[in-house]
Amino acid sequence: MEITVSRKAHFNAAHRLYNKNWSDHKNANVFGKCNNPNYHGHNYELIVSVTGKINPETGYVIDMGELKNIIKKEIEERLDHKNLNLDIAYFSKVIPSAENICIFIYDILRQNINSEFKLSVRLYETPRNFVEYSG
Ligand code: NI
């Protein structure tokens, strides 16, 4: 029997969607406002879900304090108040779309959460637009 526990987190970050292989005109047409050369920000909301068996000794799947600390140290401190294109080396080569940010976050968390658990990351770029990645 497996059950899923989730933790919400938050960070603010700036980005610009831009494909360096395209003309400025095509970038503007495809990415619209998200192509603004001077960047723009989003209030990202993150939901990290961990699925596994309940430990009979604790009644927990995972210690939520421990999960909170991993998210804070590995994700919030890395991304909060950053310009994703300029401050995060990974996004110098990868377009910082919500899809790619979600995968970036998943890959970091996956290295920090025991492989006995399934992991899923949902990232809201706006209250209505979100992506989810489970590896
Ligand atoms: Ni944007």
PDB file of all heavy atoms in Angstrom, residues 14-17 31 33-35 40-42 44 96 125-126, ligand 1:
ATOM      1  N   ALA A  14      12.895  35.641 -12.368  1.00  0.00           N
ATOM      2  CA  ALA A  14      12.724  36.291 -13.669  1.00  0.00           C
ATOM      3  C   ALA A  14      13.222  35.363 -14.767  1.00  0.00           C
ATOM      4  O   ALA A  14      14.103  34.524 -14.530  1.00  0.00           O
ATOM      5  CB  ALA A  14      13.503  37.601 -13.696  1.00  0.00           C
ATOM      6  N   HIS A  15      12.645  35.511 -15.935  1.00  0.00           N
ATOM      7  CA  HIS A  15      13.160  34.755 -17.079  1.00  0.00           C
ATOM      8  C   HIS A  15      12.843  35.475 -18.375  1.00  0.00           C
ATOM      9  O   HIS A  15      12.131  36.469 -18.423  1.00  0.00           O
ATOM     10  CB  HIS A  15      12.622  33.312 -17.091  1.00  0.00           C
ATOM     11  CG  HIS A  15      11.208  33.154 -17.537  1.00  0.00           C
ATOM     12  ND1 HIS A  15      10.659  31.950 -17.877  1.00  0.00           N
ATOM     13  CD2 HIS A  15      10.208  34.071 -17.699  1.00  0.00           C
ATOM     14  CE1 HIS A  15       9.403  32.106 -18.234  1.00  0.00           C
ATOM     15  NE2 HIS A  15       9.104  33.374 -18.128  1.00  0.00           N
ATOM     16  N   ARG A  16      13.417  34.935 -19.438  1.00  0.00           N
ATOM     17  CA  ARG A  16      13.086  35.373 -20.790  1.00  0.00           C
ATOM     18  C   ARG A  16      13.107  34.132 -21.665  1.00  0.00           C
ATOM     19  O   ARG A  16      14.080  33.369 -21.635  1.00  0.00           O
ATOM     20  CB  ARG A  16      14.132  36.365 -21.307  1.00  0.00           C
ATOM     21  CG  ARG A  16      13.812  36.834 -22.699  1.00  0.00           C
ATOM     22  CD  ARG A  16      14.975  37.541 -23.363  1.00  0.00           C
ATOM     23  NE  ARG A  16      14.518  38.106 -24.633  1.00  0.00           N
ATOM     24  CZ  ARG A  16      15.331  38.487 -25.615  1.00  0.00           C
ATOM     25  NH1 ARG A  16      16.634  38.407 -25.457  1.00  0.00           N
ATOM     26  NH2 ARG A  16      14.837  38.961 -26.737  1.00  0.00           N
ATOM     27  N   LEU A  17      12.038  33.931 -22.427  1.00  0.00           N
ATOM     28  CA  LEU A  17      12.021  32.821 -23.380  1.00  0.00           C
ATOM     29  C   LEU A  17      12.593  33.342 -24.691  1.00  0.00           C
ATOM     30  O   LEU A  17      12.099  34.331 -25.250  1.00  0.00           O
ATOM     31  CB  LEU A  17      10.594  32.290 -23.573  1.00  0.00           C
ATOM     32  CG  LEU A  17       9.907  31.788 -22.292  1.00  0.00           C
ATOM     33  CD1 LEU A  17       8.555  31.170 -22.621  1.00  0.00           C
ATOM     34  CD2 LEU A  17      10.778  30.810 -21.521  1.00  0.00           C
ATOM     35  N   PHE A  31       7.091  33.632 -28.721  1.00  0.00           N
ATOM     36  CA  PHE A  31       7.076  33.726 -27.253  1.00  0.00           C
ATOM     37  C   PHE A  31       6.271  34.909 -26.711  1.00  0.00           C
ATOM     38  O   PHE A  31       6.010  34.960 -25.504  1.00  0.00           O
ATOM     39  CB  PHE A  31       8.505  33.787 -26.718  1.00  0.00           C
ATOM     40  CG  PHE A  31       9.290  32.513 -26.945  1.00  0.00           C
ATOM     41  CD1 PHE A  31      10.531  32.535 -27.569  1.00  0.00           C
ATOM     42  CD2 PHE A  31       8.784  31.285 -26.523  1.00  0.00           C
ATOM     43  CE1 PHE A  31      11.255  31.366 -27.771  1.00  0.00           C
ATOM     44  CE2 PHE A  31       9.503  30.105 -26.727  1.00  0.00           C
ATOM     45  CZ  PHE A  31      10.738  30.145 -27.351  1.00  0.00           C
ATOM     46  N   LYS A  33       4.902  38.003 -24.924  1.00  0.00           N
ATOM     47  CA  LYS A  33       5.363  38.791 -23.783  1.00  0.00           C
ATOM     48  C   LYS A  33       6.545  38.143 -23.074  1.00  0.00           C
ATOM     49  O   LYS A  33       7.368  38.820 -22.473  1.00  0.00           O
ATOM     50  CB  LYS A  33       4.236  38.966 -22.757  1.00  0.00           C
ATOM     51  CG  LYS A  33       3.204  39.993 -23.130  1.00  0.00           C
ATOM     52  CD  LYS A  33       2.191  40.097 -22.000  1.00  0.00           C
ATOM     53  CE  LYS A  33       1.134  41.141 -22.290  1.00  0.00           C
ATOM     54  NZ  LYS A  33       0.089  41.106 -21.250  1.00  0.00           N
ATOM     55  N   CYS A  34       6.608  36.816 -23.101  1.00  0.00           N
ATOM     56  CA  CYS A  34       7.691  36.117 -22.405  1.00  0.00           C
ATOM     57  C   CYS A  34       9.030  36.280 -23.120  1.00  0.00           C
ATOM     58  O   CYS A  34      10.054  35.815 -22.627  1.00  0.00           O
ATOM     59  CB  CYS A  34       7.346  34.637 -22.214  1.00  0.00           C
ATOM     60  SG  CYS A  34       6.347  34.343 -20.731  1.00  0.00           S
ATOM     61  N   ASN A  35       9.017  36.963 -24.277  1.00  0.00           N
ATOM     62  CA  ASN A  35      10.270  37.229 -25.004  1.00  0.00           C
ATOM     63  C   ASN A  35      10.837  38.613 -24.656  1.00  0.00           C
ATOM     64  O   ASN A  35      11.900  38.988 -25.146  1.00  0.00           O
ATOM     65  CB  ASN A  35      10.008  37.122 -26.518  1.00  0.00           C
ATOM     66  CG  ASN A  35      11.245  37.344 -27.351  1.00  0.00           C
ATOM     67  OD1 ASN A  35      11.298  38.257 -28.171  1.00  0.00           O
ATOM     68  ND2 ASN A  35      12.256  36.533 -27.132  1.00  0.00           N
ATOM     69  N   HIS A  40      11.128  39.357 -17.265  1.00  0.00           N
ATOM     70  CA  HIS A  40       9.911  39.602 -16.484  1.00  0.00           C
ATOM     71  C   HIS A  40       9.845  38.497 -15.435  1.00  0.00           C
ATOM     72  O   HIS A  40      10.514  37.468 -15.565  1.00  0.00           O
ATOM     73  CB  HIS A  40       8.665  39.555 -17.384  1.00  0.00           C
ATOM     74  CG  HIS A  40       8.469  38.218 -18.016  1.00  0.00           C
ATOM     75  ND1 HIS A  40       9.174  37.822 -19.125  1.00  0.00           N
ATOM     76  CD2 HIS A  40       7.726  37.150 -17.642  1.00  0.00           C
ATOM     77  CE1 HIS A  40       8.852  36.585 -19.428  1.00  0.00           C
ATOM     78  NE2 HIS A  40       7.971  36.132 -18.540  1.00  0.00           N
ATOM     79  N   GLY A  41       9.049  38.713 -14.409  1.00  0.00           N
ATOM     80  CA  GLY A  41       9.034  37.775 -13.290  1.00  0.00           C
ATOM     81  C   GLY A  41       7.773  36.953 -13.199  1.00  0.00           C
ATOM     82  O   GLY A  41       6.741  37.288 -13.797  1.00  0.00           O
ATOM     83  N   HIS A  42       7.888  35.850 -12.469  1.00  0.00           N
ATOM     84  CA  HIS A  42       6.726  35.029 -12.125  1.00  0.00           C
ATOM     85  C   HIS A  42       6.802  34.670 -10.647  1.00  0.00           C
ATOM     86  O   HIS A  42       7.896  34.537 -10.089  1.00  0.00           O
ATOM     87  CB  HIS A  42       6.696  33.724 -12.926  1.00  0.00           C
ATOM     88  CG  HIS A  42       6.394  33.914 -14.374  1.00  0.00           C
ATOM     89  ND1 HIS A  42       5.123  34.141 -14.849  1.00  0.00           N
ATOM     90  CD2 HIS A  42       7.202  33.919 -15.455  1.00  0.00           C
ATOM     91  CE1 HIS A  42       5.168  34.264 -16.167  1.00  0.00           C
ATOM     92  NE2 HIS A  42       6.421  34.138 -16.563  1.00  0.00           N
ATOM     93  N   TYR A  44       6.378  31.696  -8.837  1.00  0.00           N
ATOM     94  CA  TYR A  44       6.250  30.259  -9.057  1.00  0.00           C
ATOM     95  C   TYR A  44       5.775  29.566  -7.788  1.00  0.00           C
ATOM     96  O   TYR A  44       6.280  29.843  -6.689  1.00  0.00           O
ATOM     97  CB  TYR A  44       7.591  29.659  -9.479  1.00  0.00           C
ATOM     98  CG  TYR A  44       8.044  30.074 -10.859  1.00  0.00           C
ATOM     99  CD1 TYR A  44       8.945  31.117 -11.023  1.00  0.00           C
ATOM    100  CD2 TYR A  44       7.565  29.413 -11.982  1.00  0.00           C
ATOM    101  CE1 TYR A  44       9.371  31.493 -12.287  1.00  0.00           C
ATOM    102  CE2 TYR A  44       7.975  29.783 -13.250  1.00  0.00           C
ATOM    103  CZ  TYR A  44       8.883  30.824 -13.400  1.00  0.00           C
ATOM    104  OH  TYR A  44       9.302  31.202 -14.645  1.00  0.00           O
ATOM    105  N   PRO A  96      14.288  28.570 -20.319  1.00  0.00           N
ATOM    106  CA  PRO A  96      13.652  28.414 -19.001  1.00  0.00           C
ATOM    107  C   PRO A  96      12.123  28.504 -19.041  1.00  0.00           C
ATOM    108  O   PRO A  96      11.501  29.346 -18.375  1.00  0.00           O
ATOM    109  CB  PRO A  96      14.272  29.541 -18.171  1.00  0.00           C
ATOM    110  CG  PRO A  96      14.582  30.598 -19.169  1.00  0.00           C
ATOM    111  CD  PRO A  96      14.940  29.887 -20.461  1.00  0.00           C
ATOM    112  N   GLU A 125       3.328  28.310 -13.025  1.00  0.00           N
ATOM    113  CA  GLU A 125       3.953  29.571 -13.456  1.00  0.00           C
ATOM    114  C   GLU A 125       2.982  30.723 -13.227  1.00  0.00           C
ATOM    115  O   GLU A 125       3.378  31.850 -12.940  1.00  0.00           O
ATOM    116  CB  GLU A 125       4.359  29.487 -14.931  1.00  0.00           C
ATOM    117  CG  GLU A 125       5.241  30.649 -15.357  1.00  0.00           C
ATOM    118  CD  GLU A 125       5.886  30.395 -16.697  1.00  0.00           C
ATOM    119  OE1 GLU A 125       5.192  30.499 -17.719  1.00  0.00           O
ATOM    120  OE2 GLU A 125       7.082  30.071 -16.713  1.00  0.00           O
ATOM    121  N   THR A 126       1.704  30.429 -13.382  1.00  0.00           N
ATOM    122  CA  THR A 126       0.633  31.353 -13.018  1.00  0.00           C
ATOM    123  C   THR A 126      -0.413  30.497 -12.306  1.00  0.00           C
ATOM    124  O   THR A 126      -0.339  29.258 -12.348  1.00  0.00           O
ATOM    125  CB  THR A 126      -0.022  32.012 -14.270  1.00  0.00           C
ATOM    126  OG1 THR A 126      -0.802  31.014 -14.947  1.00  0.00           O
ATOM    127  CG2 THR A 126       1.019  32.583 -15.221  1.00  0.00           C
TER     128      THR A 126
HETATM  129 NI    NI B   1       7.198  34.193 -18.520  1.00  0.00          NI
END
